[in-house]
Each structure stands twice: as structure tokens, then as C-alpha cells.
Amino acid sequence: MKKIIAMAVVAAVAVSMVCAQITVGAKRTFGMNLGSKVSDEAKEIFARNDDAKNAFMVNSGDSIYGRYNLPFLPALGVQLEFGLTANNGAGLKAEYEGVEMTVTASYLSLDFPLLVTYDIPVGSIMITPMVGINFSVPVGSPKFVFKTDENEASMDRGDLKDTGFIPGIVAGVEVGIPVGPGSITAGLSYVNDFTPVKLKSDGFDEKVDLLTRRNFNISLGYALKF
């Protein structure tokens, strides 16, 4: 009897998997820092001014994703993404030796959002709110740019490396419009990291907080359902 029940459960799971809806897609993102905060340590090191104010920055990236809609509740889904985001960062407006200057710090990251989604059909259009956790891994060395009204210079600090495994939260909404075999997608999302990206210098064990990312992003892409 137990074997029959086990076989029935396995069969039910297999049928559910076959009947479930799978969505795969790719998208391009464009964003801006809204609330990204440079640490007090970084302000002192790079702007030499604790009272420096945050400056506007833009970022961009690409990602691919897969979504599994649950067979027993087709509107509800789980989505896993893999993305690469460039120019995460924040800027500082400060005065140094009588000269107004903007200092920006930016870095590259790999991002892995894990989201819960819910499909809301509106005619032929699909609206999908989503919320979940994001895991981010900084890659390589940060980029620093110093800009005044007359000059702009970048600083290559190959001795500094971005480090850390950064958890955060992401929430947003995506709209899918049927075109061809799939859908064109457009989305809005907000990413809030819980911990700052850290800098590590070659030869030193001590790490310095650089900034905590908070980005507002828009996206354009294409998705296919199976």
C-alpha cells in the first residue's frame, strides 16, 4: 500500500511538472541611485569632507531569468535571475581647497535575485508584481572619477578590490505585451542592499566600507513561455 501511495505521489508531481508553465527571458536594465549612501570612511578618504552630499549616478546591466508557475496555483510563480550590473555606485559633491568637486565611486556586480511573482491578466497584457531577495557579489576593482567645472580625471586603484557577499531585497512589477511567439516586457524595480560593498587593499587585512547600494531600475526585454 505504501509503495502504491509513493508511486501515486511521484506520478502526481511528474504530471504537475509537465503541466506547469515555464517562462524564460532576457532583459536590459537602466537605473539610477536613489538613496545609495557612501560610508563616512569613504567620504573622509576620497572626498576629505564628512559633509559631502550625495550626487546622481546611472547604471546599466543585463540579465536572464527563468520562472516556474505553480501547477496548483498558476498565477503564482518563483523566478530566479542571473544578472551583471555595471556602474553601481554613488557620488559626492564636496568642496576641496576652495574648489567645488564631484567624486563618484562605482563598481561591477553579479546579482542573483530570487523572486515570488504573481500574474494578473488584463486583456492580452500580463501584469506581474514581484518581490524577493537579492544576493550580490562585487567584481574587480572600483572606479573613482573626480570632476570639477573645468577638469575630469579617473583614478585607477588596482590595489583596491571590491569584496563581500551582499544580501538585499528587490521589489517591482513587469508588464508583458504579446508580440510574436513571446512577449515584450517592461519593468520597474527597486534594489536595496542590506550591507555595504567593502574595499580591501593588497597586503592589508582591514576592510573599508565603500557604499550601500539602493537603485531604482527600469528594464526592457523579451520572454517566452512553454
Side-chain angles (χ1 to χ4, degrees):
M1 186 64 179
K2 290 182 179 180
K3 289 183 178 180
I4 294 175
I5 294 175
M7 291 175 63
V9 171
V10 171
V13 172
V15 170
S16 296
M17 291 292 290
V18 171
C19 295
Q21 189 176 78
I22 304 293
T23 302
V24 294
K27 57 187 176 181
R28 176 81 173 177
T29 61
F30 306 89
M32 63 193 78
N33 65 318
L34 290 179
S36 293
K37 183 180 179 181
V38 177
S39 72
D40 291 338
E41 294 172 291
K43 286 182 180 181
E44 181 64 27
I45 295 172
F46 301 110
R48 300 186 182 182
N49 188 335
D50 290 335
D51 297 323
K53 298 180 179 180
N54 284 3
F56 176 78
M57 287 186 68
V58 296
N59 64 76
S60 63
D62 295 285
S63 62
I64 56 175
Y65 62 90
R67 183 187 305 159
Y68 172 74
N69 284 74
L70 304 179
F72 53 85
L73 185 57
L76 189 65
V78 178
Q79 179 169 307
L80 177 63
E81 296 186 19
F82 169 75
L84 182 67
T85 308
N87 212 42
N88 295 297
L92 296 172
K93 292 182 178 179
E95 182 176 318
Y96 179 61
E97 295 184 354
V99 177
E100 292 289 337
M101 179 175 61
T102 299
V103 183
T104 59
S106 60
Y107 67 96
L108 182 71
S109 69
L110 296 175
D111 289 283
F112 305 89
L114 178 61
L115 307 169
V116 176
T117 67
Y118 193 84
D119 293 335
I120 304 172
V122 180
S124 61
I125 295 174
M126 186 68 74
I127 300 175
T128 306
M130 53 188 69
V131 64
I133 55 177
N134 183 67
F135 299 102
S136 178
V137 180
V139 179
S141 299
K143 179 181 179 181
F144 300 96
V145 176
F146 300 82
K147 185 177 181 180
T148 66
D149 291 337
E150 298 179 354
N151 297 295
E152 180 176 329
S154 59
M155 182 174 67
D156 181 12
R157 290 292 303 271
D159 61 313
L160 295 176
K161 303 296 180 184
D162 296 318
T163 66
F165 180 77
I166 304 171
I169 189 170
V170 58
V173 62
E174 183 179 270
V175 176
I177 303 172
V179 175
S183 298
I184 291 177
T185 62
L188 299 173
S189 64
Y190 187 73
V191 179
N192 191 127
D193 286 346
F194 293 148
T195 58
V197 60
K198 295 179 178 294
L199 292 180
K200 186 178 185 301
S201 180
D202 292 343
F204 294 89
D205 293 331
E206 186 176 351
K207 297 179 181 180
V208 175
D209 291 346
L210 177 58
L211 60 91
T212 302
R213 178 181 63 168
R214 297 183 180 96
N215 283 350
F216 176 79
N217 299 313
I218 62 174
S219 65
L220 293 172
Y222 196 78
L224 293 169
K225 291 184 178 180
F226 301 94

